Amino acid sequence: MHDTAKKRDFSSVMRSSNSRYLSAGGAPDKPVKVGFVLLEHFSMMAFTAAVDALVTTNLVRTAPLFEHIILGVDSRKVLSDLGIEIATNTTLEHFTIEHRGNIDILIVCGGFRCELNENPQLTETLKAADKLGLTLGGIWNGSVAIAYAGLLDNQRCAAHPDNHAFIREQFPRVEVADTALVITERCVTCAGPVSALEMMLTLIRKQYGEDIVRAIREILSCDQVAESGGKMKLQAGDDPTHPENLRTLMQLMNNNIEEPLTLEELTAHASVSRRQMERLFQTHLETSPSRYYLELRITHARRLLLQTNETITNVALASGFVSTSHFSNCYKDYFGLSPSAARQKQHS
């Protein structure tokens, strides 16, 4: 039997990179259930961005946190804006919201060419969901359906700019925001694909906290182009707002995993003092340079261990550990099981 007691916690900046492999403390009794109502010609990009956020949430935790169901208004197949049909789980006619628990969040997914006429079945479904206290959501012009149900009166909502004039004319009691995302206590609305992802991250944060959102962002936003020079952010914790000398130190560590630099060598290369380096890491990353470096190396080792067939000895050496026993102890301290047990679990 392997000792699964975790002796060491990752610092916040590296926790997100390893969250999938850590103990899922405080896992919910049951996943949050999200329903997506697809309107004909819905935006495929916005819909997949929203679903991807939920799927990725489940990937970064050992226990599933979300389930989702796809609903058609009156058909088991719905045509997207790309001309691709999506099979739904059921239709609104056969989906009854009887009590809270069979669904927790209901989101209407629209698109640029979606009809803006009222659908009585959808209106009744949204009203039933509201009576049970469910969170409602609208993507692109999905907020129009919520407005038809009278659930946006005297509230702000977001929608694609192409639909602002229609909403203002048709629903004078609804305030159309000039922002791409609006969050209220019981309703979330957004204008398009990018804001759809942000909308879902807001809902995930509300349910499970900031740490899990940070982990999701690291996976889904790794190729986000930074404002300065078009450089792509690929390194965990790399933040363009951090001081340049801190980013230099982080990059030095990242480039010297197999043969780690000493702290003295790092300060010399980055032209900072030891005290300055420690202050930079503590102020911006809430950790020490040595702890960050160790966690960077143990994360590198975890990837090699679980993604390659290299021997544990080679993984240890490639990650800057001078002995297999030291590597095994460090790995077990952070992940709660030995490298060999982790690899065995990966393939079980």
Side-chain angles (χ1 to χ4, degrees):
M1 180 179 294
H2 298 290
D3 180 13
T4 57
K6 186 177 64 172
K7 305 174 186 176
R8 236 171 181 175
D9 287 322
F10 278 97
S11 56
S12 60
V13 71
M14 294 303 297
R15 189 182 305 126
S16 57
S17 296
N18 296 284
S19 61
R20 179 184 178 186
Y21 306 93
L22 304 176
S23 174
D29 294 333
K30 58 181 181 178
V32 174
K33 296 182 180 179
V34 184
F36 292 95
V37 180
L38 303 185
L39 305 181
E40 197 78 4
H41 303 301
F42 69 94
S43 167
M44 178 72 87
M45 187 175 179
F47 168 62
T48 53
V51 174
D52 202 3
L54 300 182
V55 172
T56 305
T57 303
N58 290 342
L59 291 177
V60 299
R61 284 291 186 269
T62 55
L65 302 184
F66 286 98
E67 292 178 357
H68 72 274
I69 183 173
I70 303 173
L71 305 167
V73 176
D74 51 21
S75 173
R76 288 294 303 272
K77 290 185 178 180
V78 184
L79 191 66
S80 73
D81 59 344
L82 301 182
I84 300 172
E85 282 190 331
I86 295 295
T88 67
N89 298 100
T90 186
T91 63
L92 294 183
E93 180 183 357
H94 298 98
F95 179 76
T96 304
I97 303 177
E98 298 175 343
H99 55 81
R100 185 159 187 167
N102 63 345
I103 193 168
D104 302 292
I105 300 169
L106 188 63
I107 297 172
V108 182
C109 302
F112 193 75
R113 291 185 289 136
C114 288
E115 292 288 336
L116 299 180
N117 299 325
E118 181 179 11
N119 180 283
Q121 182 73 63
L122 179 54
T123 295
E124 290 307 309
T125 299
L126 289 167
K127 286 181 177 179
D130 179 67
K131 285 181 181 179
L132 288 173
L134 273 62
T135 297
L136 301 179
I139 294 174
W140 201 292
N141 45 25
S143 53
V144 171
I146 304 173
Y148 273 124
L151 304 177
L152 288 177
D153 288 354
N154 305 312
Q155 293 190 55
R156 297 173 71 245
C157 76
H160 192 277
D162 191 61
N163 303 122
H164 283 194
F166 174 85
I167 295 174
R168 291 189 175 109
E169 181 67 25
Q170 191 76 21
F171 308 103
R173 298 180 65 183
V174 176
E175 180 185 349
V176 183
D178 59 359
T179 56
L181 176 64
V182 172
I183 307 294
T184 63
E185 185 177 352
R186 292 271 303 282
C187 191
V188 291
T189 50
C190 67
V194 175
S195 53
L197 175 59
E198 289 302 317
M199 184 181 87
M200 299 309 295
L201 291 178
T202 299
L203 291 173
I204 294 165
R205 182 185 295 107
K206 184 177 180 181
Q207 293 287 339
Y208 297 112
E210 182 61 38
D211 275 356
I212 195 164
V213 170
R214 190 181 297 114
I216 297 165
R217 283 192 189 280
E218 185 166 317
I219 294 172
L220 297 184
S221 304
C222 69
D223 61 347
Q224 182 176 330
V225 178
E227 292 182 3
S228 56
K231 184 179 178 182
M232 303 183 84
K233 170 184 169 290
L234 289 174
Q235 182 181 340
D238 190 13
D239 186 332
T241 65
H242 285 160
E244 189 61 36
N245 46 12
L246 173 60
R247 299 183 72 197
T248 298
L249 287 163
M250 294 171 69
Q251 192 61 53
L252 281 167
M253 293 178 179
N254 195 57
N255 291 342
N256 293 274
I257 298 288
E258 187 171 352
E259 297 183 9
L261 301 174
T262 65
L263 296 183
E264 288 72 22
E265 288 172 327
L266 287 168
T267 57
H269 283 298
S271 300
V272 295
S273 69
R274 175 76 173 262
R275 186 172 180 180
Q276 282 177 309
M277 178 172 67
E278 290 174 347
R279 189 185 303 120
L280 284 167
F281 274 84
Q282 192 59 52
T283 299
H284 298 280
L285 303 180
E286 298 181 350
T287 189
S288 67
S290 56
R291 181 180 177 186
Y292 176 83
Y293 208 172
L294 174 60
E295 292 179 358
L296 190 67
R297 289 163 48 219
I298 205 73
T299 300
H300 180 77
R302 188 263 302 160
R303 289 169 177 153
L304 290 179
L305 182 74
L306 302 183
Q307 296 175 19
T308 74
N309 293 320
E310 290 290 339
T311 65
I312 292 175
T313 298
N314 286 345
V315 169
L317 293 174
S319 306
F321 291 92
V322 295
S323 71
T324 304
S325 60
H326 181 217
F327 166 58
S328 295
N329 288 335
C330 285
Y331 196 94
K332 192 172 184 179
D333 283 348
Y334 276 106
F335 294 105
L337 68 172
S338 67
S340 57
R343 179 168 274 178
Q344 185 177 7
K345 181 180 178 182
Q346 173 81 357
H347 293 104
S348 62

